[in-house]
């Protein structure tokens, strides 16, 4: 039954009528034609004994009835609609053990089909694993990733999902073992090392001080986690501005909207909400996204947008000559209009305007039918050719009913990039509206928490929202990812009936602050890694030292003050730093934390030491005052014992003059840690007695012994929500 079974497998997967000649050649190609046909007739006889009328056989063709079930066909159908269901099929065993003799054409078909099925199988496993991860079903994700890696052992993505899911399931050691196994397999089979992304993931797992979540949230324990998909909060004004621009464009007066904001602030979400309205109002919507210019694809974003319009009815109104010219970039046009005239080879650069004009004519034809909105996301990545084309089109279509909505991520827009120059030009146009999408305010975060958390009490979640705003600076992406981490680590749970968020009892044990969401950490780390070395060094100084002026930066880095100010301004332009009162600091504590997390203990100590020495130097030689407490803190962390002692004593005396007795005692504690036995120790003791006497205390108060640092992360007591159970 070897070849009859192989014939059945081919007919089951290739659901169409096949000629007898093809089937005979497929399985009996090494036989003379009469013998091959006889063998085919015999095989069909065997199959009809089992299949009956389900096998349709005529003198010329053979076909299997579509009603006959086939796992491979069912898998392909599921892969197109339900990846989770598709992932349950055992695709790697496709036709295992079936290898008929002397049938090379069939073997080639099996190989080609198996490759295609495995590719779809890996895609299904990837989608199912990601879905499990998004619902905090770590065990399911581990099982899916294990099957994925077993089928594709060298897949980097499979390894990353498996390592991360194992870690989040609560087994840190097993996650590191998975990494070591993958690294050994990669070295043995491919002679390569794990990618930087895998190494970064493993490094975070290895260095995480609290280890993996102690009580991982799974579907079995807490049920299905809530969907964190809030309505658009705090964007009413921006939506109205966009709507006004669209109405003006619809009246035949072209408009340009520059959507600007930092990464994760919600530019794309705002545009999506607005663009859905355009579609419901009958407008034509074209979308595209900027690419890394290193990809080497000229005009890529605009070609992507226009490709979606190639089948639009209105495009037929363009002149055939312009359609033919545009077909240089959009070959789909020749498929729709096969009668387009043939063109000579691409024109000389001096005649490149013809291509630009052809694309403009396409848009004019579309706009002649109904108003057009073109949304270009991540425009900061556009290459020079795309920027030139976009500039031409916006100018050429100024009097056409076209709205250009261009989203730019501030902080990733480099000053001399082609996209930066384009934005400067567009911003000067009279018909351009520059909308800066800002982070959410504290009240807006509270509104978001109350909506998502189905909070029933009038003021419930107010403190939680305030702390969430402080931790995330109101960045919507950071907020959502931090909320996911709260559920994943067991701090929050949703009531299965009402959906109301509740604080888990374990969140009241004072177990410490919650870790930053890995997705937020990765997003910030990617921005930092892309910095040039000199900018990264200055950002490190700001992250370690806090607010620094150019006088300190110049001494720490051995550069002029002008150069220090230039580098500081570049960090401000990238939204990694802010400048206030002639001092630079990190734009948000989360940025400073990610920078510090990437430093070794030795690097941090040396930065602290250089800041302390620089502050002391400029105070003594340049007359720039520096708070002695700042010098003492950096000297203490930088190992400069003498400077730490001297500055701490000065800071204590300054605090005494302000009657800040607790602060004075803290500085004296620091001075005592660095005082030499004898006179220095006696001075600290005498000053301590003096402060206690002035304050009327007989002993050191407990408030002084506790750390006075203000938490910059969520604490268990911040969850002013009903307690679960």
């Amino acid at each position: 039954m070897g070849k009859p079974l192989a014939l059945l497998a081919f007919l089951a997967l290739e659901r169409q009528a096949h000629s007898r000649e093809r089937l005979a050649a497929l399985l009996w190609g090494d036989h003379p034609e009469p013998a091959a046909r006889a063998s085919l007739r015999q095989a069909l006889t065997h199959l009809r004994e089992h299949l009956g009328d389900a096998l349709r056989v005529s003198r010329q063709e053979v076909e299997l009835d579509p009603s006959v079930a086939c796992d491979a066909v069912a898998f392909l159908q599921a892969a197109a609609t339900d990846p989770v269901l598709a992932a349950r099929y055992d695709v790697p065993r496709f036709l295992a053990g079936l290898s008929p003799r002397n049938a090379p054409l069939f073997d080639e078909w099996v190989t080609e089909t198996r490759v295609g099925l495995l590719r779809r199988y890996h895609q299904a496993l990837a989608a199912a694993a990601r879905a499990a991860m998004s619902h905090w079903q770590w065990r399911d994700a581990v099982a899916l990733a294990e099957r994925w890696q077993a089928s594709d052992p060298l897949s980097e993505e499979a390894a990353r999902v498996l390592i991360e899911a194992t870690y989040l399931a609560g087994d840190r050691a097993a996650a590191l073992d998975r990494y070591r196994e993958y690294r050994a397999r990669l070295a043995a089979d491919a002679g390569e090392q794990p990618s930087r992304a895998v190494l970064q993931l493993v490094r975070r797992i290895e260095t995480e001080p609290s280890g993996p979540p102690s009580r991982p949230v799974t579907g079995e324990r807490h049920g299905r986690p809530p969907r964190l998909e809030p309505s658009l909060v705090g964007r009413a004004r921006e939506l109205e501005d966009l709507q006004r621009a669209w109405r003006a464009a619809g009246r035949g007066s072209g408009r340009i909207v520059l959507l600007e904001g930092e990464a994760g602030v919600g530019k794309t979400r705002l545009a999506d909400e607005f663009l859905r309205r355009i579609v419901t109002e009958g407008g034509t919507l074209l979308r595209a996204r900027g690419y890394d210019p290193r990809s080497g694809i000229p005009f890529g974003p605009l070609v992507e947008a226009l490709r979606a319009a190639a089948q639009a009815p209105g495009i037929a109104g363009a002149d055939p000559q312009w359609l033919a010219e545009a077909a240089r970039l959009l070959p789909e046009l020749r498929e729709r209009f096969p009668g387009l005239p043939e063109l000579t080879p691409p024109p000389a650069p001096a005649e490149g305007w013809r291509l630009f004009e052809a694309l403009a004519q396409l848009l004019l034809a579309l706009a002649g039918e109904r108003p057009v909105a073109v949304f270009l996301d991540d425009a900061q990545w556009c290459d020079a050719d795309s920027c030139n084309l976009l500039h031409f089109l916006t100018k050429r279509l100024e009097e056409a009913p076209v709205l250009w909505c261009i989203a730019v991520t501030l902080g990733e827009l480099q000053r001399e990039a082609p996209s930066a120059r384009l934005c400067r030009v567009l911003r000067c146009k009279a018909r351009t509206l520059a909308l800066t999408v800002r982070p959410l305010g504290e009240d807006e975060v509270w509104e978001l928490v109350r909506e998502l958390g189905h909070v029933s009490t009038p003021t419930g979640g107010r403190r939680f929202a305030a702390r969430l705003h402080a931790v995330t600076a109101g960045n919507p992406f950071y907020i959502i990812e931090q909320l996911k981490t709260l559920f994943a680590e067991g701090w929050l749970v949703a009531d299965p009936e009402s959906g109301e968020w509740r604080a888990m009892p374990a969140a009241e044990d004072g177990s410490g602050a919650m870790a930053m969401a890995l997705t937020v950490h990765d997003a910030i780390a990617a921005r930092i890694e892309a910095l040039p070395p000199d900018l990264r060094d200055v950002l490190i100084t700001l992250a370690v030292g806090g607010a620094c002026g150019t006088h300190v930066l110049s001494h720490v880095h051995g550069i002029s003050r002008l150069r220090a100010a230039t580098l500081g301004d570049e960090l401000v332009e990238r939204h990694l730093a802010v400048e206030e009162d002639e001092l630079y600091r990190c734009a948000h504590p989360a940025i400073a934390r990610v920078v510090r997390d990437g430093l070794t203990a030795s690097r941090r100590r040396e930065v602290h030491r250089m800041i302390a020495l620089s502050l002391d130097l400029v105070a003594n030689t340049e007359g720039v005052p520096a708070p002695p407490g700042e010098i003492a803190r950096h000297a203490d962390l930088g190992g400069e014992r003498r400077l730490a002692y001297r500055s701490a004593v000065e800071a204590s005396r300054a605090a005494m003059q302000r009657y800040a007795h607790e602060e004075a005692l803290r500085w004296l504690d620091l001075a005592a840690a660095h005082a030499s036995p004898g006179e220095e120790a006696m001075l600290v003791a005498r000053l301590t007695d003096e402060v206690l006497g002035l304050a009327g205390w007989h002993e050191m108060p407990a408030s002084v012994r506790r750390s006075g640092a203000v938490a910059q992360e969520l604490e268990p007591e911040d969850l002013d929500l009903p307690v679960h159970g």
Side-chain angles (χ1 to χ4, degrees):
M1 283 294 289
K3 289 194 174 182
L5 185 58
L7 176 60
L8 176 60
F10 179 81
L11 294 172
L13 265 77
E14 304 292 339
R15 291 299 179 98
Q16 63 185 45
H18 298 276
S19 67
R20 286 176 173 263
E21 290 80 0
R22 183 186 180 188
L23 296 177
L26 182 71
L27 288 163
W28 295 277
D30 60 329
H31 289 44
E33 184 176 349
R37 285 180 172 274
S39 297
L40 175 61
R41 286 194 298 271
Q42 185 177 7
L44 291 173
T45 300
H46 282 299
L47 291 178
R48 293 199 68 172
E49 291 176 357
H50 296 85
L51 298 174
D53 294 338
L55 185 64
R56 302 170 182 172
V57 180
S58 68
R59 295 180 62 87
Q60 290 81 27
E61 295 181 330
V62 178
E63 183 180 8
L64 188 65
D65 191 285
S67 63
V68 176
C70 173
D71 283 350
V73 173
F75 161 74
L76 290 173
Q77 293 172 344
T81 58
D82 189 351
V84 176
L85 175 61
R88 299 173 185 170
Y89 286 86
D90 191 7
V91 175
R93 290 179 56 82
F94 169 71
L95 295 185
L98 181 61
S99 181
R101 298 174 58 187
N102 301 322
L105 291 180
F106 179 79
D107 292 339
E108 291 178 8
W109 172 80
V110 169
T111 300
E112 181 180 349
T113 306
R114 180 180 287 121
V115 169
L117 288 172
L118 283 175
R119 182 174 60 253
R120 298 295 298 275
Y121 178 63
H122 297 156
Q123 292 171 351
L125 285 172
R130 294 189 195 99
M133 294 279 283
S134 67
H135 291 101
W136 298 276
Q137 296 168 342
W138 312 126
R139 296 173 188 172
D140 291 346
V142 169
L144 289 163
E146 285 177 337
R147 291 171 54 199
W148 184 6
Q149 193 176 63
S151 178
D152 192 3
L154 301 184
S155 169
E156 174 191 332
E157 189 176 1
R160 288 182 62 186
V161 171
L162 181 57
I163 294 168
E164 187 173 1
T166 303
Y167 170 67
L168 292 173
D171 199 337
R172 179 177 183 172
L176 296 175
D177 287 342
R178 304 273 198 188
Y179 163 69
R180 285 187 281 269
E181 292 169 1
Y182 169 69
R183 181 182 61 186
R185 186 184 307 114
L186 192 63
D189 296 351
E192 297 179 358
Q193 292 297 314
S195 70
R196 187 176 185 178
V198 173
L199 292 175
Q200 287 176 336
L201 170 63
V202 173
R203 190 178 302 116
R204 289 197 302 271
I205 293 175
E206 290 175 333
T207 58
E208 184 68 28
S210 60
S214 57
R215 299 188 309 128
V217 179
T218 63
E220 297 82 3
R221 180 180 176 90
H222 295 300
R224 191 178 183 87
R227 294 173 62 88
L228 299 178
E229 298 178 358
S231 58
L232 199 62
V233 174
R235 305 298 186 214
R237 181 184 62 81
E238 290 86 350
L239 281 172
E240 181 57 33
D241 289 341
L242 287 166
Q243 195 67 20
R244 279 198 296 269
W246 171 244
R247 288 195 293 266
R251 293 191 294 267
S253 177
R255 287 292 187 271
I256 302 170
V257 176
L258 289 178
L259 278 181
E260 301 174 329
E262 63 182 76
V265 80
K267 301 182 296 297
T268 304
R269 173 68 192 283
L270 171 64
D272 286 342
E273 188 81 12
F274 164 62
L275 296 173
R276 282 196 293 270
R277 297 187 184 186
I278 286 181
V279 173
T280 60
E281 292 175 7
T284 297
L285 173 61
L286 306 179
R287 302 181 64 120
R289 180 180 295 274
Y291 304 105
D292 189 328
R294 293 172 296 181
S295 63
I297 306 176
F299 313 120
L302 290 170
V303 169
E304 177 186 339
L306 291 169
R307 181 169 287 127
Q311 301 302 321
I315 210 169
D319 186 275
Q321 286 292 337
W322 293 124
L323 288 173
E325 189 71 38
R328 296 184 190 276
L329 287 180
L330 300 170
E332 299 90 340
L333 293 175
R334 289 196 175 276
E335 296 179 6
R336 182 178 175 188
F337 304 105
L340 291 179
E342 295 295 332
L343 296 178
T344 59
E351 299 181 12
W353 68 270
R354 292 185 58 83
L355 178 60
F356 283 23
E357 179 62 23
L359 298 180
Q361 290 294 327
L362 259 63
L363 286 171
L364 285 170
L366 285 175
E369 182 184 32
R370 53 187 181 178
V372 175
V374 183
F375 175 53
L376 176 58
D377 204 358
D378 286 333
Q380 71 276 3
W381 296 120
C382 283
D383 59 281
D385 291 326
S386 297
C387 290
N388 291 336
L389 175 56
L390 186 58
H391 184 205
F392 174 86
L393 292 175
T394 55
K395 185 177 180 62
R396 177 69 175 80
L397 303 176
E398 283 181 343
E399 303 302 328
V402 177
L403 171 68
W404 301 88
C405 185
I406 303 171
V408 178
T409 299
L410 299 176
E412 294 179 357
L413 187 65
Q414 299 184 16
R415 184 184 305 170
E416 299 305 321
S419 53
R421 292 192 291 271
L422 174 65
C423 288
R424 290 195 290 269
V425 171
L426 295 180
R427 195 175 286 110
C428 295
K429 291 180 176 291
R431 296 180 179 180
T432 295
L433 170 65
L435 278 181
T436 299
V437 184
R438 304 188 183 280
L440 300 179
E442 186 176 314
D443 289 340
E444 292 163 341
V445 176
W446 186 38
E447 180 183 347
L448 184 146
V449 168
R450 289 180 59 79
E451 176 195 332
L452 288 175
H454 302 280
V455 179
S456 56
T457 56
T459 60
R462 167 65 86 173
R463 176 178 176 179
F464 174 42
R467 292 295 299 127
L468 189 62
H469 176 266
V471 169
T472 63
N475 184 296
F477 170 71
Y478 294 176
I479 291 170
I480 295 300
E481 294 305 309
Q482 203 69 56
L483 288 173
K484 290 179 181 178
T485 306
L486 282 168
F487 280 96
E489 294 195 352
W491 286 46
L492 289 177
V493 65
D495 184 272
E497 296 182 0
S498 66
E500 184 175 12
W501 291 356
R502 299 183 182 277
M504 293 296 289
E508 298 185 323
D509 62 3
S511 56
M514 191 197 71
M516 181 188 299
L518 286 179
T519 46
V520 175
H521 188 286
D522 290 347
I524 297 174
R527 295 175 61 193
I528 295 169
E529 290 176 3
L531 291 174
D534 51 356
L535 284 180
R536 192 181 307 123
D537 289 342
V538 171
L539 186 62
I540 288 172
T541 302
L542 300 181
V544 174
C548 296
T550 55
H551 52 284
V552 173
L553 294 175
S554 67
H555 282 285
V556 170
H557 297 283
I559 56 179
S560 68
R561 291 192 180 185
L562 179 59
R563 177 60 178 163
T566 300
L567 295 176
D569 287 349
E570 288 193 36
L571 289 173
V572 172
E573 289 180 1
R574 294 169 184 260
H575 285 237
L576 292 171
V578 294
E579 192 265 343
E580 297 174 349
D581 299 327
E582 298 185 359
L583 296 175
Y584 295 98
R585 61 174 175 81
C586 287
H588 189 267
I591 295 173
R593 177 181 172 184
V594 172
V595 174
R596 291 194 298 268
D597 287 348
L599 301 177
T600 63
S602 297
R603 180 75 178 273
R604 285 196 300 272
R605 183 175 62 253
E606 288 304 314
V607 175
H608 280 297
R609 188 177 72 85
M610 286 301 301
I611 293 173
L613 294 175
S614 299
L615 286 170
D616 186 54
L617 179 63
V618 298
N620 293 327
T621 63
E622 302 180 26
V624 180
E630 280 296 293
I631 299 177
R633 181 174 67 87
H634 290 298
D636 173 48
L637 295 173
E640 288 289 329
R641 298 179 59 87
R642 306 309 308 146
L643 183 57
Y645 165 78
R646 173 165 54 83
S647 300
V649 170
E650 292 179 16
S652 69
R653 285 174 169 157
M656 290 169 64
Q657 292 178 358
R658 303 192 311 271
Y659 303 102
H661 300 128
E662 290 190 11
E663 180 186 341
L665 290 175
R666 290 193 183 97
W667 289 124
L668 288 172
D669 283 347
L670 178 59
H674 296 289
S676 300
E679 183 178 343
E680 291 182 352
M682 292 175 61
L683 175 61
V684 172
R686 179 171 59 79
L687 290 175
T688 301
D689 289 339
E690 183 179 344
V691 173
L692 290 173
L694 291 172
W697 296 331
H698 298 291
E699 61 180 10
M700 191 80 71
S703 59
V704 175
R705 292 193 294 267
R706 292 194 299 266
S707 171
V710 178
Q712 294 181 340
E713 299 170 359
L714 287 167
E715 301 283 351
E717 56 268 23
D718 293 328
L719 301 182
D720 57 336
L721 297 168
V723 178
H724 180 67

